[in-house]
Amino acid sequence: MFKIGDLTVGGRQKVMIAGPCAIEGREQLLQIAREVKAQGAQILRGGAYKPRTSPYSFQGLGPQGLFYLKEAREETGLLTVTEVMEPEELDLICKYTDILQVGARNMFNYPLLKRIGRTDKPVLLKRSFMATVEEFLLASEYILKEGNQRVILCERGIRTFDHITRNTLDLASVPILKKMSSLPVFVDPSHGTGRSDIVIPMALAGLIASADGIMVEVHPNPKKALSDGLQTLDFPHFRELMEEFRSLSRYIEAQEERRSNYVSRREAVPSQEAAS
Ligand code: PEP
Ligand code: MN
């Protein structure tokens, strides 16, 4: 558990990160930022540097995108997260965002992880689609070892034989990661499934599997999105997700409260017996 600004990550309160896959323009980002803020998300996501599978696809707005991200942050008060692909971009990105994202494709980029480990920015580290849980945890240790302790692990699906979803969202990894490390664990059902029609149930399943937060892609018109439109929620569906997210979070928080009371009562009993 740690703080990012005023926000506690990995505590009782569940966290929502939402925003477009890519920052496409000033108006697009501000419109999304206002909407996700109004619905209760705490962190705005948006890529300025995009690791696209095809070099012919939209690669992101670069520094211009970072300016828009900072503007959205100043207007809404949301924290922001954006992806770093190269060490050379790191100093500039650090000036414009609260959290650094390491994408699935760079989880094995050890020089980048070490360099990020020497910054004081919290990191959202995504699991590579070909990484075992052990490799994922060792990647996080490259950052921790350099002194940066604020790392969030993000399960975002792995590559399997089944292509009915873009990736196979490995929800079993969530409680396992929580057992094997003390870092907060998030779930990204957008990349984890590649299908907007099942993002909501898989986000909720992530919470049930004990995730500390969820990250989803949101766009006013996913069909026109310059990247990852098929897995992106429109505003009405994001609102629906947030309603469910809030009520499920409340239920989980109350259950954790009951469980901790139960544990402390049980601990109290033997000492009372010993006293009598
Ligand atoms: C993203 O978050 O937009 C992204 C590219 O994710 P991943 O690295 O998990 O593919
Ligand atoms: Mn994306």
Side-chain angles (χ1 to χ4, degrees):
M1 178 174 15
F2 51 76
K3 285 248 183 198
I4 305 177
D6 293 333
L7 180 71
T8 301
V9 182
R12 282 264 160 86
Q13 191 198 4
K14 306 293 173 195
V15 172
M16 176 61 74
I17 306 177
C21 178
I23 299 166
E24 298 170 2
R26 183 174 178 275
E27 280 316 308
Q28 175 246 21
L29 188 66
L30 285 174
Q31 190 189 356
I32 297 170
R34 290 177 193 131
E35 177 67 18
V36 304
K37 166 84 181 180
Q39 298 309 319
Q42 298 99 328
I43 304 174
L44 174 69
R45 60 152 288 143
Y49 299 87
K50 293 303 303 175
R52 304 303 301 281
T53 303
S54 163
Y56 307 109
S57 303
F58 176 60
Q59 303 286 310
L61 296 180
Q64 190 64 52
L66 297 177
F67 301 150
Y68 298 147
L69 192 64
K70 186 157 185 265
E71 193 181 343
R73 171 184 186 268
E74 277 161 10
E75 189 194 299
T76 59
L78 287 164
L79 294 165
T80 57
V81 58
T82 197
E83 178 161 355
V84 184
M85 296 208 306
E86 297 187 56
E88 297 77 59
E89 293 153 358
L90 190 55
D91 289 340
L92 183 71
I93 294 175
C94 281
K95 288 200 186 105
Y96 287 92
T97 192
D98 300 294
I99 306 165
L100 305 171
Q101 176 171 322
V102 177
R105 288 159 190 79
N106 270 316
M107 190 212 84
F108 285 112
N109 184 342
Y110 301 131
L112 181 67
L113 298 178
K114 283 192 209 167
R115 181 74 180 73
I116 283 178
R118 293 195 287 271
T119 71
D120 62 358
K121 293 277 179 188
V123 184
L124 179 80
L125 176 65
K126 301 189 83 175
R127 179 181 181 180
S128 160
F129 40 76
M130 44 181 269
T132 64
V133 165
E134 219 156 28
E135 287 166 334
F136 186 24
L137 284 170
L138 287 169
S140 76
E141 288 185 33
Y142 267 93
I143 302 171
L144 300 170
K145 187 168 175 282
E146 297 297 320
N148 189 343
Q149 302 299 309
R150 290 189 295 172
V151 179
I152 300 171
L153 302 170
C154 183
E155 167 59 51
R156 49 78 73 209
I158 50 175
R159 198 168 264 181
T160 69
F161 56 85
D162 199 339
H163 300 293
I164 198 132
T165 51
R166 181 180 176 187
N167 292 287
T168 297
L169 187 59
D170 180 14
L171 285 180
S173 78
V174 178
I176 290 173
L177 289 166
K178 303 259 309 180
K179 271 189 148 180
M180 293 178 74
S181 89
S182 56
L183 299 173
V185 179
F186 278 43
V187 168
D188 170 356
S190 301
H191 294 86
T193 66
R195 298 176 48 150
S196 60
D197 60 336
I198 59 168
V199 162
I200 295 179
M202 295 313 283
L204 300 174
L207 287 188
I208 295 282
S210 74
D212 299 290
I214 301 295
M215 175 157 92
V216 291
E217 291 183 330
V218 178
H219 192 284
N221 188 351
K223 283 202 178 75
K224 292 263 168 71
L226 296 182
S227 67
D228 287 351
L230 290 175
Q231 66 196 34
T232 297
L233 297 177
D234 58 15
F235 288 177
H237 284 98
F238 180 64
R239 263 170 243 167
E240 196 180 314
L241 167 61
M242 286 308 289
E243 274 172 34
E244 305 240 24
F245 178 86
R246 265 191 299 276
S247 69
L248 184 56
S249 300
R250 272 197 299 273
Y251 170 79
I252 293 171
E253 281 161 30
Q255 207 188 21
E256 280 172 7
E257 179 80 35
R258 272 196 300 277
R259 203 175 294 146
S260 68
N261 287 341
Y262 172 70
V263 170
S264 57
R265 268 202 311 278
R266 267 180 36 147
E267 279 163 359
V269 171
S271 58
Q272 279 168 3
E273 280 171 352
S276 62

